[in-house]
Amino acid sequence: MPQSKRLEEFKKLVTNKFYVYNSLFLNLPYRNIENIGVMIPLLFYQCEKGLQAGLKPQEILDHFFENYAEISSEKDKIDFMFRIIQYVERQVVLYDSVEDAAFPKLHEYSTSRSIRDYFQMVDKTKNWNAISKQLESFSARIVLTAHPTQFYTPAVLDIIEELRQLILEDKINDIDVVLQQLGLTSLINAKKPTPLEEAKNIIYILRNIYYDAVGELYSYIKANVHKENFVNYDILKLGFWPGGDRDGNPFVTAEITKSVADELRITLMKCYYNELKRLRKKLTFKGLQKPLNQLQDQLYVAMFDAGKALSFDEIMAPLKEISEMLESRYQGLYSEDLEKLMDKVSIFRTHFATLDIRQDHSKHYQLIEQILLKQGIVKESLSEISDKKLMDILLHKEIRLEEKDFDDEIHQDTIRNIKQLKAIKAKNGEDGCNRYIISNSEDVNSVLFVYALFRWCGYAPEDISFDIVPLFETMIGMERSEEIMNTLFSLPEYQSHLTRRGQKQTMMLGFSDGTKDGGYLKANWSIFKTKETLSKVCSKHGYKAIFFDGRGGPPARGGGKTHRFYAAQTRDIANNEIQLTIQGQTITSTYGTKEQFIHNSEQLLTAGLSNNLFGKEHVINAASRKLIEELSQLSYEKYDALKQHPKFIPYLENKSTLKYYTKANIGSRPGKRGQKAKLELSDLRAISFVGSWSQLKQNVPGYYGIGTALNTLVEQGRLSELKKLYKEVPFFEALMLNSMMSLSKSYFELTAYMKDDPEFGAFWELLHEEYELSKRMLLKISNFKILMENEVVSRESVKIRENIVLPLLVIQQYALYKISQEASNRDVYEKIVTRSLYGNINASRNSA
């Protein structure tokens, strides 16, 4: 379908409806200030016009207060700004709801490939044997993470769902009532959520969306795959980090992990119970009542009593008995409905989603050092013994660990948690918890420390039924990964471990910290090359390489268009499974409704399968690789120079919202690693780092260095090479398109006043020059007239969202200015900055 037609449909289904329903906000029940909604369009116009004219945010707002709002007292101005923030937050919720409601209809006009399209392609090639074989072995794992950059409370999620349904039916009066409800409902947490509360928020989505969505997708594949008795219950798996991810979060304890595992299992039992209850209305035949009653009673107990865990066989046995009786005695009536429940039980078993454990390598290092100190093997530090001797200790020495023997709480908890994992598996099944991920893996000990800790916590080697997953996220980690894996694969003990784990090695590649460390192009190219290298290493040693991608929401955290990313992989990268993290706003924006979840899950499957099946695996030739390498190095040098700039960290600390992320009640995890007084880049969380650049509308991690790299080659007369690279190499095109999205969301006019700042003016100019250069260069190599030229719907969505939050951003900058001037109401202005984070974060959800 022509892009103009898609845009026309988007404007009808989203833009126009949003503006109609947005007019209902004029009557929202705010106290103290009347007609706040009437002021919003006027404020937006003044902000846009003022910024374009080069006015400072404080000049724009002071002019607005005096000439339009007729507010003179500081108290009233502050009150007004808080009301604007509340109003804008709710506009974002409304826009989310309208866009979600339009998704099924807009999808009809999409050019993306669904499973249905995929099957039609197979029909044309008559290649059903190949496709059925691939579908029986292929798998995609969607891992929901503990990085809540956008988690509405369940109450607000319910409102969004209600609005979505009413918008689909155009029930304007009912919409008016629900919008009033929204006006009176708090959108933010009164206090920081605990890790358990975070987990429950996501489990809410598992129960209300993913349980049915995964079942529906599986049923469709099974019915259309042209193979009798098709079985692949792993074709779409769910993973879960909240409650298991300890990296930088001291609030995740062994008790939390146990509680989250119980919550996952208990919630799944509720799903089974409710579906069985609905099915019973059809299965009214006398002979079925005994097994039905028995199973319903067992599920009822299991969904309330965490101590009464049902096994997979205990659930499946009565269902099989009922199935056999339906076929033999009741003409197979309703057997299809029963089969759908049995398929779900086979998919989710007793775990719902696999709970991953993650911890930073440094924490294991500290614990191992303490253990060897207590054993008298070292006197002060691990550096006293050789690598060979340490490896021998880790693989062979027998030690018995007790948490009471250690003073440090994290050391105690690490031991306690590893010991309890057996019990979690006993309740939730083999897939309940079977991976241990090590952040910042930069040497072979990152894996061996964990292997040793399992042994020393009472596991015999043959009982370590866990994949030990190194996370290579820094430049150093990626550079050393080949040597690390070669060393591991040469160890007889680790070989035996992998044999027990099915001859597979899972390796995680992290985007967030890679981008922060090496810049956008260097990080992505390094990850790409690392995957190719590790694929060869695994193949050489006879192991199946499984890559787990740490993908965030915006491109700067490894996000962007997921289908585009996987479709651009080369044939030199192992394609046995697709595994990726779904972070923050991406959970609600890309997988937040059943229709979105199914569509985007299909995109993962078709991207992973299409290359193999239709022989379109990409190859990057030597000349193209050399060119990307050259660009990667040039962009890295530019980005690294920025990192080393003496004003880099001070700029983030003094001119951005960085310090306010820790004050916002968004997530349970601290905003940075460690307790150092002086802020260092390595301590910064990628979310707060990338988010701070986003709040400034500068989005530096998503493109910085690309403009300089491209321009260097253009000045050498190599523009034609770059255009050819963009046109012929999907991987490079995908990166450049993602950078265009980052640039599209940048708006340097918001902070243009900083160019006159005596301390940071030159630094701001440095950022602005690279932004302008990157924009020019990307348009030049793509032959586009505007950024995101071929993504009209995404471009329009970005534009509307950016417009919604512009007044909020100007207020944020105004408050930051007041704080810098040591205003008497400093605490209040700090609250304004913190509160203004939410709306902008939520509005940016369409970044993946």
Side-chain angles (χ1 to χ4, degrees):
M1 165 170 290
Q3 292 223 52
S4 57
K5 179 64 177 169
R6 291 189 67 217
L7 184 58
E8 183 186 325
E9 287 300 318
F10 181 84
K11 285 182 175 176
K12 275 197 304 190
L13 295 167
V14 179
T15 311
N16 294 345
K17 281 195 174 186
F18 170 68
Y19 287 126
V20 168
Y21 299 137
N22 191 41
S23 66
L24 298 174
F25 269 110
L26 298 177
N27 299 316
L28 276 185
Y30 283 111
R31 297 186 301 274
N32 302 333
I33 292 186
E34 295 178 1
N35 300 322
I36 193 80
V38 177
M39 305 296 283
I40 288 277
L42 184 57
L43 179 56
F44 165 75
Y45 176 72
Q46 291 298 316
C47 290
E48 186 179 48
K49 188 179 76 168
L51 291 171
Q52 292 293 342
L55 296 178
K56 299 174 182 177
Q58 58 268 31
E59 292 172 333
I60 294 168
L61 280 181
D62 284 339
H63 178 75
F64 181 82
F65 289 141
E66 182 180 346
N67 294 285
Y68 296 97
E70 296 181 352
I71 298 173
S72 55
S73 78
E74 188 171 20
K75 180 183 178 301
D76 288 344
K77 289 176 183 178
I78 289 168
D79 192 49
F80 180 87
M81 287 187 283
F82 273 118
R83 300 302 171 192
I84 292 289
I85 291 168
Q86 290 175 308
Y87 190 96
V88 168
E89 286 173 340
R90 284 156 179 79
Q91 282 185 303
V92 173
V93 171
L94 175 61
Y95 187 78
D96 286 350
S97 305
V98 173
E99 209 169 49
D100 289 349
F103 181 85
K105 187 70 177 171
L106 278 175
H107 176 44
E108 295 174 19
Y109 302 101
S110 171
T111 55
S112 54
R113 188 174 293 154
S114 67
I115 287 284
R116 185 177 285 103
D117 300 327
Y118 186 67
F119 286 163
Q120 286 172 357
M121 289 168 67
V122 178
D123 263 336
K124 288 176 186 172
T125 60
K126 305 300 179 192
N127 204 11
W128 274 108
N129 284 339
I131 176 62
S132 57
K133 188 177 179 184
Q134 284 218 348
L135 280 168
E136 280 188 313
S137 60
F138 196 75
S139 176
R141 184 193 294 241
I142 295 168
V143 181
L144 306 163
T145 76
H147 306 323
T149 48
Q150 184 210 42
F151 282 155
Y152 291 122
T153 62
V156 176
L157 289 173
D158 282 336
I159 290 174
I160 291 173
E161 174 60 20
E162 179 73 8
L163 276 174
R164 191 171 71 88
Q165 293 299 330
L166 293 172
I167 288 164
L168 279 170
E169 299 166 29
D170 273 326
K171 291 187 173 178
I172 197 156
N173 291 328
D174 293 334
I175 291 168
D176 185 25
V177 173
V178 175
L179 287 177
Q180 291 192 47
Q181 177 192 353
L182 177 63
L184 293 166
T185 301
S186 175
L187 270 66
I188 62 168
N189 299 308
K191 55 184 177 59
K192 279 187 180 293
T194 66
L196 181 58
E197 287 167 341
E198 283 178 341
K200 285 182 177 180
N201 273 353
I202 310 181
I203 291 171
Y204 172 93
I205 299 173
L206 285 178
R207 179 180 181 179
N208 290 286
I209 296 169
Y210 299 170
Y211 175 76
D212 285 326
V214 172
E216 195 172 303
L217 179 58
Y218 184 79
S219 294
Y220 179 80
I221 293 170
K222 184 178 174 181
N224 289 276
V225 78
H226 286 217
K227 180 170 190 238
E228 209 172 329
N229 301 320
F230 170 84
V231 174
N232 179 6
Y233 296 122
D234 288 335
I235 195 163
L236 192 65
K237 297 185 280 191
L238 298 175
F240 206 80
W241 275 17
D245 181 7
R246 288 157 164 69
D247 180 11
N249 193 344
F251 306 116
V252 176
T253 61
E255 187 57 39
I256 289 287
T257 300
K258 176 180 176 295
S259 297
V260 171
D262 284 342
E263 191 70 26
L264 282 163
R265 186 187 66 257
I266 286 170
T267 302
L268 179 61
M269 296 304 117
K270 290 175 183 175
C271 292
Y272 291 158
Y273 179 85
N274 288 330
E275 187 160 358
L276 186 68
K277 198 173 171 184
R278 290 192 297 271
L279 194 55
R280 285 201 69 167
K281 292 178 180 177
K282 297 178 179 178
L283 304 180
T284 52
F285 320 125
K286 186 178 178 183
L288 305 182
Q289 298 313 300
K290 185 178 177 183
L292 279 170
N293 287 337
Q294 174 201 341
L295 180 55
Q296 187 167 314
D297 290 346
Q298 287 178 312
L299 288 171
Y300 186 82
V301 172
M303 67 192 220
F304 288 112
D305 188 343
K308 304 283 185 181
L310 284 178
S311 70
F312 169 73
D313 289 335
E314 284 174 318
I315 300 170
M316 190 55 86
L319 291 176
K320 284 181 178 173
E321 184 185 343
I322 294 163
S323 177
E324 287 163 7
M325 280 196 279
L326 274 181
E327 291 299 328
S328 62
R329 293 161 59 180
Y330 301 106
Q331 293 89 48
L333 197 60
Y334 298 123
S335 58
E336 259 188 48
D337 299 84
L338 178 62
E339 188 180 336
K340 286 177 182 175
L341 172 57
M342 292 172 74
D343 281 343
K344 284 180 184 171
V345 173
S346 296
I347 292 166
F348 298 118
R349 302 180 76 87
T350 53
H351 63 279
F352 214 162
T354 300
L355 182 62
D356 286 344
I357 306 299
R358 183 170 79 130
Q359 181 57 288
D360 190 79
H361 172 52
S362 63
K363 300 301 179 189
H364 299 140
Y365 185 99
Q366 292 161 12
L367 175 54
I368 295 288
E369 190 169 69
Q370 282 300 308
I371 292 167
L372 299 193
L373 278 167
K374 286 182 180 297
Q375 292 288 317
I377 296 170
V378 299
K379 292 180 180 176
E380 291 182 7
S381 76
L382 291 182
S383 60
E384 297 165 24
I385 53 177
S386 68
D387 292 342
K388 187 178 178 183
K389 184 177 179 184
L390 178 60
M391 188 179 289
D392 182 59
I393 291 168
L394 297 172
L395 290 171
H396 304 118
K397 185 164 182 62
E398 296 299 329
I399 297 174
R400 199 71 175 175
L401 295 181
E402 298 295 338
E403 59 260 37
K404 64 180 173 59
D405 295 336
F406 297 85
D407 298 325
D408 185 275
E409 285 183 19
I410 291 179
H411 294 167
Q412 291 176 353
D413 189 76
T414 302
I415 296 165
R416 194 178 302 124
N417 186 54
I418 291 174
K419 285 185 174 183
Q420 75 167 354
L421 296 181
K422 262 185 191 172
I424 288 175
K425 268 185 183 257
K427 281 185 172 183
N428 286 31
E430 173 60 32
D431 293 326
C433 184
N434 58 19
R435 307 203 303 183
Y436 200 117
I437 299 157
I438 308 108
S439 304
N440 283 306
S441 293
E442 294 182 351
D443 59 43
V444 71
N445 290 330
S446 59
V447 171
L448 294 184
F449 282 172
V450 173
Y451 181 79
L453 287 171
F454 268 101
R455 289 200 313 108
W456 297 342
C457 284
Y459 293 73
E462 59 271 19
D463 294 332
I464 305 175
S465 54
F466 287 80
D467 296 329
I468 304 174
V469 182
L471 167 46
F472 302 118
E473 54 190 327
T474 62
M475 294 297 113
I476 292 173
M478 285 185 270
E479 284 163 14
R480 294 178 180 171
S481 61
E482 180 179 10
E483 179 191 349
I484 291 168
M485 298 317 298
N486 269 321
T487 304
L488 284 171
F489 292 157
S490 69
L491 299 173
E493 295 83 357
Y494 197 70
Q495 290 171 4
S496 299
H497 173 70
L498 288 183
T499 299
R500 292 188 291 271
R501 299 306 296 159
Q503 299 294 105
K504 294 178 184 177
Q505 174 66 55
T506 303
M507 295 155 288
M508 189 172 179
L509 284 297
F511 287 78
S512 297
D513 282 288
T515 303
K516 190 182 74 175
D517 193 27
Y520 184 67
L521 185 55
K522 173 81 170 178
N524 280 278
W525 180 234
S526 297
I527 288 166
F528 190 88
K529 289 189 299 177
T530 301
K531 279 187 171 183
E532 291 184 327
T533 301
L534 293 178
S535 296
K536 288 174 188 162
V537 169
C538 288
S539 179
K540 181 181 79 175
H541 289 275
Y543 300 117
K544 188 181 277 190
I546 308 291
F547 291 115
F548 178 20
D549 295 307
R551 290 179 65 75
R557 292 215 322 276
K561 303 293 184 183
T562 302
H563 178 271
R564 183 191 289 156
F565 167 78
Y566 283 110
Q569 305 289 286
T570 64
R571 69 183 180 193
D572 293 325
I573 292 175
N575 190 31
N576 300 303
E577 285 187 27
I578 281 177
Q579 296 192 6
L580 76 162
T581 57
I582 300 296
Q583 299 185 7
Q585 67 265 49
T586 316
I587 293 176
T588 47
S589 66
T590 314
Y591 296 85
T593 67
K594 188 167 79 170
E595 293 82 4
Q596 287 172 322
F597 180 90
I598 290 174
H599 169 74
N600 286 295
S601 297
E602 285 181 1
Q603 294 294 288
L604 289 179
L605 293 172
T606 58
L609 291 165
S610 293
N611 290 342
N612 294 346
L613 187 68
F614 299 107
K616 292 179 182 174
E617 296 165 302
H618 303 297
V619 177
I620 303 178
N621 63 38
S624 294
R625 296 180 79 88
K626 188 175 177 214
L627 190 54
I628 298 173
E629 190 70 49
E630 202 173 341
L631 289 167
S632 167
Q633 189 57 32
L634 286 166
S635 71
Y636 172 69
E637 287 167 7
K638 179 70 174 176
Y639 177 75
D640 192 54
L642 184 74
K643 276 199 319 179
Q644 305 306 325
H645 195 289
K647 295 300 177 189
F648 184 75
I649 293 293
Y651 181 81
L652 281 172
E653 284 188 295
N654 294 287
K655 290 295 182 182
S656 84
T657 57
L658 181 66
K659 68 181 77 167
Y660 299 96
Y661 268 81
T662 58
K663 298 181 180 182
N665 295 328
I666 297 174
S668 67
R669 196 163 63 171
K672 66 186 182 84
R673 293 180 174 99
Q675 302 296 321
K676 296 175 194 166
K678 186 181 177 185
L679 184 64
E680 295 179 15
L681 184 61
S682 58
D683 297 326
L684 272 182
R685 284 278 165 209
I687 284 175
S688 50
F689 175 71
V690 172
S692 297
W693 290 114
S694 172
Q695 297 277 331
L696 283 167
K697 307 315 291 178
Q698 293 174 353
N699 292 325
V700 163
Y703 61 82
Y704 197 88
I706 287 175
T708 292
L710 294 171
N711 189 54
T712 303
L713 269 60
V714 168
E715 288 181 342
Q716 294 172 6
R718 301 167 67 185
L719 177 60
S720 58
E721 287 181 58
L722 294 171
K723 287 188 172 185
K724 187 169 184 280
L725 184 69
Y726 179 84
K727 188 177 179 182
E728 295 181 359
V729 179
F731 167 75
F732 183 71
E733 180 195 30
L735 291 186
M736 296 305 101
L737 290 173
N738 277 344
S739 276
M740 285 189 200
M741 183 188 288
S742 292
L743 289 162
S744 294
K745 292 185 171 187
S746 298
Y747 191 60
F748 272 79
E749 288 88 342
L750 178 69
T751 55
Y753 69 92
M754 292 184 189
K755 67 186 173 190
D756 299 321
D757 188 286
E759 184 179 357
F760 296 107
F763 186 80
W764 184 92
E765 290 281 12
L766 199 66
L767 303 177
H768 185 238
E769 283 167 14
E770 187 65 16
Y771 159 77
E772 292 288 356
L773 185 60
S774 298
K775 192 161 67 168
R776 275 201 314 278
M777 290 298 107
L778 285 170
L779 292 176
K780 194 182 282 277
I781 67 165
S782 63
N783 287 327
F784 286 175
K785 292 184 179 61
I786 57 171
L787 295 173
M788 299 178 72
E789 186 174 298
N790 290 341
E791 299 175 76
V792 292
V793 167
S794 290
R795 193 176 73 237
E796 185 71 10
S797 179
V798 167
K799 179 183 169 186
I800 294 170
R801 289 176 178 277
E802 296 299 305
N803 286 347
I804 290 171
V805 296
L806 185 61
L808 184 150
L809 291 166
V810 171
I811 286 172
Q812 184 182 89
Q813 288 297 317
Y814 178 89
L816 286 168
Y817 168 76
K818 287 286 190 181
I819 294 164
S820 72
Q821 297 301 301
E822 299 294 332
S824 57
N825 287 312
R826 183 189 178 95
D827 289 350
V828 178
Y829 285 113
E830 288 189 338
K831 283 181 183 175
I832 287 176
V833 173
T834 305
R835 283 289 281 108
S836 65
L837 292 174
Y838 296 90
N840 190 38
I841 289 169
N842 292 345
S844 298
R845 76 173 198 164
N846 59 346
S847 51

